[in-house]
Amino acid sequence: MSHDYEPAMRIALDYAQTAAEHGDVPVGAVVLDPAGQVIGVGYNDREASHNPLGHAEVVALAAAARAAQSWRLDGCTLVVTLEPCTMCAGAAVQSRIARVVFGAFDEKAGAVGSLWDVVRDRRLPHRPEVISGILATECAQILSDFFASARNIAT
């Protein structure tokens, strides 16, 4: 399938910036319907919401499910700036998302190929396609900048 995910990733990067402005780890996500239209957006809001489930992917998937009026997001694509963790990879599988597209790899907690590969586990009944490395440099840079700034504030 030939599809340009850079425009959607740029939207996700804008939402990642919003997360950073609210003091949270800058991760943003969008869900595209089968026609490529944005039907759900999210950014990390764990700090603001005091909710451990406030990951960008979970927020975006929930918004998309509300828009679709169905928990099944068949044919949809999750686009996220950082490789999903185990919780978010599981949420993608449970939502029946068709594909997961991400920017930066997460060597410490990634569950879409780095540490684990939850979404492609053959024991699961649904396995989304995975596309990685979309605007990876930009996605990694926003995280690096955020953590460098946090270290400077802490010293």
Side-chain angles (χ1 to χ4, degrees):
M1 177 177 157
S2 175
H3 192 357
D4 180 11
Y5 291 106
E6 285 188 16
M9 188 63 77
R10 291 200 186 285
I11 295 169
L13 278 163
D14 288 343
Y15 280 96
Q17 184 60 45
T18 300
E21 291 166 2
H22 289 107
D24 218 317
V25 176
V27 178
V30 300
V31 176
L32 306 174
D33 70 10
Q37 299 301 305
V38 175
I39 60 167
V41 299
Y43 57 86
N44 276 4
D45 74 349
R46 291 181 305 171
E47 298 299 330
S49 67
H50 309 290
N51 179 358
L53 305 178
H55 288 213
E57 301 93 315
V58 171
V59 174
L61 288 167
R66 284 190 300 275
Q69 297 185 339
S70 174
W71 64 269
R72 290 179 161 279
L73 297 174
D74 297 312
C76 293
T77 301
L78 172 65
V79 179
V80 59
T81 58
L82 181 65
E83 178 183 1
C85 69
T86 53
M87 175 181 70
C88 295
V93 169
Q94 289 299 314
S95 70
R96 307 303 194 266
I97 207 91
R99 77 196 45 77
V100 175
V101 176
F102 68 90
F105 281 89
D106 185 349
E107 301 298 329
K108 294 180 181 179
V112 185
S114 289
L115 286 181
W116 299 282
D117 202 349
V118 171
V119 299
R120 290 180 283 209
D121 188 316
R122 285 191 247 172
R123 295 169 292 184
L124 296 174
H126 177 75
R127 292 180 300 279
E129 174 187 10
V130 175
I131 300 170
S132 60
I134 305 298
L135 299 178
T137 301
E138 293 93 328
C139 292
Q141 189 64 53
I142 194 170
L143 289 159
S144 296
D145 292 348
F146 176 82
F147 288 114
S149 177
R151 281 190 297 278
N152 288 336
I153 291 170
T155 58

